[in-house]
Amino acid sequence: MTNPIHDTLFAPLAGQPRPFLTLADGTQITAGEFHDQLARYGHALRACGLEPGDRVAVQASKSPRMLALYGAAMATGIVFLPLNTAYTPDELEYFVTDCCARLLLVDPERGTALAPLAGRHGIRLESLGAGGSFDALAANQPHRIDPAARADTDLAALLYTSGTTGRSKGAMLSQRNLLSNAETLVDLWRFTEKDVLLHALPIFHTHGLFVATNVILRAGAQMVFMPKFDIDQVFEAMGRATAMMGVPTFYTRLLEDPRLSRDTVGHMRLFISGSAPLLAETHQQWSARTGHDILERYGMTETNMLTSNPYDGARRPGTVGFPLPGVSLRITDADSGRELPQGQTGMIEVKGPNVFQGYWQMPEKTAEEFRADGYFMTGDLGVIDAQGYVTIVGRAKDLIISGGYNVYPKEVELLLDEMPGLRESAVIGLPHPDLGEAVVAVLAVQGDGPDEGQIMAELAAKLARFKQPKAFIRLPELPRNTMGKVQKAELRKTYAAYFTQTAA
Ligand code: MCA
Ligand code: AMP
């Protein structure tokens, strides 16, 4: 094998007349057509001067083209760096410079806004999409491609994850990390060429890109490929899909809709949830309304998927199931690293072929997060019950998960603390009926301080919309413990009912 991901996941599509993607408007793209596009894009990447190991950064709307670009990067051995479309130019600048991207691909309408950034750093900028410059370059390229030779350990993708402190870190994912996980999940979740996945997740994160897409490619299956989660389109697609992967917000939104019934899900065989905790209550309501038990699984950008509830056997509400075959998972005392007996709560640590290669150009950070015996410290706190089910009980990291997107409070606090009139801030996640957790800024203000409109205007220029607070709480002082540390747990307790009481 010369290029494990291309040969296993993408090469089988070439020349095949079977459907691969069905779009929201009913348009079908066959496997063969998709592979032709992938090949043309691969040649266009090479025409831009990129070589195996170079990085291509992409901030583009979800589309079959973006997916074909992922395939093109795999075929050419170019490291794929997808970026959240909500990121502001400020946020983008850090990622593309940190990874020394050779090429930045964006939607045609974003080209002008991002040209100064690309120019400043000497990064080639092209646009992806109908009428885009990259598409023009690809148009006359051959529709067959010789893949670049790649080894299991070569990098396939770089995905940035923010940190509790300091700069965002690029998680280096190898060919083997991605492929081994896809192979495990296909078997475990029984995906076959008969499956049609309802795909409504973004494709710039592990969940929508690797878990969903790679599993479908490996199984030789197809997808109803939607630009985003749109509830009407989701109900419409359930009549022809067999499986859905979603974040808990998908499930709570569907449950609120009177159309959800055993009939509407009659064609589906499997509902999978992950990226954030699925409330046991949501799991139970879903079972009662549809007759399907949601299969909850757990993973991380750094590790791909780690645990899953069983396909056969009890899918236990509130748990994330068992470690995947090939994944070794233990619970430890976070400080000493000592393994704890079954039933005790501690740090979840993992090891396996799915675990990443380290953080891009951050050997010290990488070393800090691995134990000497190779286990990676997830920052999640968990417990294993007598039957082996893992339950996540909390996080040792200061992280908010809002609708499946991670928000690191520190990043928001640093911006708030710089603003005149704000003495200090504590950014916390509070339970939210739609998003699971919502970002809230608790502010200690000097005098009247700036109003919310002013604060939001400042933040909007620098931070993606999903990181911006959904509410502000003003206090004369932030609560502190005797060591002088702000008591976020106390704040979360005091304002726990904030969104349910104010009916956000
Ligand atoms: C959109 N908004 C959000 C979020 N999404 N605010 C906070 N949190 C969010 N997640 C903003 C919008 O900009 C908008 O702002 C307002 O909230 C309402 O938008 P709405 O139309 O309701 O949102 P939406 O477009 O329907 O999106 C909600 C969503 C979406 C469907 C839940 O966020 C989503 O697809 N999330 C999935 C994320 C994901 O794939 N995570 C996987 C990470 P305004 O109206 O003010 O402009 S990978 C991972 O975690 C690991 C590896 C794993 O285990 O999978
Ligand atoms: P990310 O950095 O986007 O990869 O997010 C990974 C984090 O999402 C994990 O460390 C967990 O805290 C959280 N996560 C993922 N799946 C689940 C789940 N099923 N239940 C609870 N938390 C989850």
Side-chain angles (χ1 to χ4, degrees), residues 467-486:
K467 298 180 193 169
Q468 296 165 25
K470 299 277 187 230
F472 293 91
I473 295 170
R474 285 165 187 256
L475 295 178
E477 297 290 336
L478 298 181
R480 290 181 184 280
N481 64 14
T482 47
M483 309 289 287
K485 194 169 181 296
V486 175

Side-chain angles (χ1 to χ4, degrees), residues 309-325:
N309 269 280
Y311 190 82
D312 295 318
R315 300 177 191 164
R316 289 225 187 125
T319 81
V320 292
F322 307 113
L324 300 182

Side-chain angles (χ1 to χ4, degrees), residues 431 433 494-504:
T494 309
Y495 297 105
Y498 186 88
F499 287 106
T500 38
Q501 272 173 1
T502 54

Side-chain angles (χ1 to χ4, degrees), residues 189-222:
W189 296 339
R190 311 273 171 87
F191 274 89
T192 71
E193 71 287 350
K194 295 206 181 71
D195 275 303
V196 179
L197 182 77
L198 193 167
H199 194 305
L201 288 161
I203 53 170
F204 42 70
H205 279 310
T206 294
H207 196 165
L209 186 62
F210 303 139
V211 186
T213 309
N214 289 354
V215 161
I216 290 310
L217 287 166
R218 184 71 182 101
Q222 50 173 305

Side-chain angles (χ1 to χ4, degrees), residues 275-277 296-301 320 380 392 397 401 406:
S275 306
E296 186 173 7
R297 58 57 177 181
Y298 154 59
M300 272 183 89
T301 301
V320 292
D380 293 310
I392 299 173
K397 49 196 174 190
I401 306 184
N406 290 2

Side-chain angles (χ1 to χ4, degrees), residues 94-118:
Y94 171 74
F95 302 121
V96 297
T97 52
D98 185 66
C99 77
C100 307
R102 290 283 305 275
L103 173 65
L104 171 61
L105 285 170
V106 299
D107 288 332
E109 57 278 15
R110 294 265 287 163
T112 314
L114 292 169
L117 183 161

